[in-house]
């Protein structure tokens, strides 16, 4: 998988250039990505922003130098790209809880995980085609215009929506993104599906034959799914994350029923093997 490979290479690149001025833009350019998209992908895989990762990695190597050498704090700071000993000390203390001098005096041996080992750990976060580090997002109430049906007729529902969309795009359409909402009825063990696009509040049930579906505001765990790797692991992977997430998030329900949302934006292209779909799992915060 090319995208994931590039994140792995970025992790190695950062280690090899810790004494350089590193930024999201500089690193993204090395791997031919837009800074925004590459940063989002990096955060999803690694579990923290690229800036936070670079900062933490610099401080880890600073700890190593403080322990193994008698170099001046200022020299270590400058080597790692900090502008001053004061700025370095503030960052160092915010992460370790002590000043560089105190750390050295305590003779604490740091444990730095090699970049290759980190790559292996982050690779293990990919379960099937789904990345196990979701972004936490919040969405206000959404209004969708589309069509619905049984979960076992999803392909037909999509075809119906796309044909309708080509003939008469819904009035009040907000973006070109599309959504698939899957709702589970545990009592009947049946699944229903709604496929549509987001519209404004002026669109109603008379909008060109579209059904209108309201999704209440919610927080979501947004998982990136690599379509080419298959969807077979998505439900199990999300349930695993929900059961073990450190924040204790629990599933949010829609009228008492579990649901999830598939978000198809510009990253989705069914002719591209690196195509990505977002799956939003609603959670209570």
């Amino acid at each position: 998988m090319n995208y994931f490979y590039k994140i792995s290479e970025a992790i190695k690149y950062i280690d090899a250039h810790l004494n350089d001025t590193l930024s999201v833009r500089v690193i993204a350019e090395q791997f031919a990505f837009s800074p925004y998209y590459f940063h989002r992908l990096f955060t999803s895989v690694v579990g923290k922003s690229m800036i936070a990762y670079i900062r933490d990695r610099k401080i880890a190597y600073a700890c190593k130098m403080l322990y193994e050498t008698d170099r001046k704090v200022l020299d270590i700071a400058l080597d790692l790209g900090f502008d001053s000993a004061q700025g370095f000390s503030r960052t160092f203390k915010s992460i370790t809880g002590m000043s560089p001098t105190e750390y050295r005096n305590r003779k604490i041996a740091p444990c730095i995980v090699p970049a290759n080992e980190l790559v292996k750990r982050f690779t293990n976060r990919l379960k099937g085609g789904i990345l196990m580090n979701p972004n936490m997002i919040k969405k206000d109430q959404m209004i969708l215009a589309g069509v619905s049906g049984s979960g076992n007729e999803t392909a037909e529902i999509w075809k119906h929506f796309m044909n309708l969309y080509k003939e008469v795009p819904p009035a009040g359409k907000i973006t070109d993104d599309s959504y698939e909402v899957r709702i589970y009825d545990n009592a009947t063990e049946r699944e229903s599906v709604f496929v549509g696009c987001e519209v404004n509040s002026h669109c109603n049930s008379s909008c060109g034959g579209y059904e209108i579906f309201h999704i209440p505001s919610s927080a979501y765990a947004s998982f990136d799914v690599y379509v080419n790797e298959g969807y077979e692991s998505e439900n199990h992977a999300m349930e695993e994350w929900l059961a073990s997430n450190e924040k204790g998030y629990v599933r949010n329900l829609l009228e008492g029923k579990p649901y999830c949302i598939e978000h198809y934006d510009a990253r989705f292209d069914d002719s591209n093997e690196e195509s990505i779909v977002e799956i939003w799992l609603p959670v209570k915060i």
Side-chain angles (χ1 to χ4, degrees):
M1 182 183 299
N2 193 32
Y3 285 176
F4 197 79
Y5 171 77
K6 288 185 177 182
I7 294 298
S8 300
E9 290 302 299
I11 291 169
K12 298 173 187 176
Y13 179 88
I14 290 169
D15 258 25
H17 295 83
L18 284 175
N19 58 342
D20 295 341
T21 301
L22 293 172
S23 68
V24 174
R25 181 186 60 80
V26 167
I27 298 172
E29 287 177 353
Q30 293 293 322
F31 300 96
F33 275 93
S34 73
Y36 169 79
Y37 181 67
F38 195 61
H39 182 262
R40 184 175 180 181
L41 186 62
F42 186 97
T43 302
S44 179
V45 173
V46 175
K48 63 176 70 173
S49 72
M50 191 182 299
I51 298 302
Y53 176 82
I54 293 170
R55 177 204 64 203
D56 292 351
R57 206 65 177 157
K58 284 177 178 284
I59 296 303
Y61 276 94
C63 289
K64 178 179 173 66
M65 286 186 274
L66 288 167
Y67 178 75
E68 294 181 351
T69 75
D70 59 358
R71 299 184 64 201
K72 294 180 180 179
V73 170
L74 177 59
D75 291 339
I76 292 174
L78 295 176
D79 272 0
L80 290 171
F82 289 89
D83 294 331
S84 66
Q86 291 81 6
F88 168 69
S89 295
R90 283 195 300 271
T91 302
F92 190 96
K93 188 170 184 178
S94 70
I95 294 173
T96 66
M98 63 189 81
S99 69
T101 301
E102 184 179 1
Y103 184 93
R104 170 174 275 164
N105 290 338
R106 291 190 181 187
K107 301 185 184 301
I108 301 172
C111 178
I112 298 180
V113 180
N116 285 337
E117 180 60 29
L118 285 176
V119 167
K120 291 179 182 178
R121 293 184 183 184
F122 295 139
T123 301
N124 288 336
R125 296 179 184 272
L126 191 69
K127 298 288 184 74
I130 186 168
L131 291 171
M132 294 294 286
N133 276 316
N135 291 317
M136 302 308 299
I137 61 176
K138 290 185 178 180
K139 292 289 181 180
D140 293 332
Q141 175 181 273
M142 297 175 64
I143 304 173
L144 303 184
V147 296
S148 65
S150 172
N152 58 14
E153 299 174 341
T154 301
E156 291 79 3
I157 296 168
W158 268 104
K159 184 177 180 179
H160 181 193
F161 170 71
M162 295 306 297
N163 288 338
L164 183 60
Y165 186 89
K166 288 178 182 178
E167 292 174 6
V168 186
K173 182 187 70 170
I174 294 177
T175 71
D176 290 327
D177 294 359
S178 53
Y179 299 85
E180 176 183 309
V181 185
R182 307 189 73 85
I183 306 168
Y184 307 91
D185 189 330
N186 293 327
T188 62
E189 297 185 350
R190 293 180 180 177
E191 180 180 279
S192 60
V193 170
F194 186 96
V195 173
C197 61
E198 188 175 8
V199 295
N200 59 37
S201 59
H202 298 297
C203 188
N204 53 46
S205 58
S206 63
C207 283
Y210 289 91
E211 301 173 44
I212 301 300
F213 188 86
H214 292 263
I215 303 174
S217 60
S218 179
Y220 296 91
S222 175
F223 296 85
D224 283 350
V225 178
Y226 288 83
V227 178
N228 193 51
E229 297 296 309
Y231 277 79
E232 63 275 2
S233 67
E234 66 178 67
N235 289 335
H236 177 74
M238 289 190 296
E239 292 294 343
E240 180 182 326
W241 174 84
L242 194 62
S244 61
N245 73 89
E246 295 180 355
K247 298 291 186 179
Y249 296 125
V250 297
R251 186 190 295 273
N252 207 358
L253 303 178
L254 181 63
E255 297 180 351
K257 298 176 182 177
Y259 73 106
C260 68
I261 301 172
E262 296 184 12
H263 175 213
Y264 295 81
D265 60 14
R267 296 182 298 164
F268 175 73
D269 177 359
D270 55 9
S271 65
N272 187 338
E273 65 177 12
E274 294 174 345
S275 189
I276 295 175
V277 172
E278 287 182 347
I279 296 186
W280 299 351
L281 179 67
V283 295
K284 296 179 181 179
I285 296 181

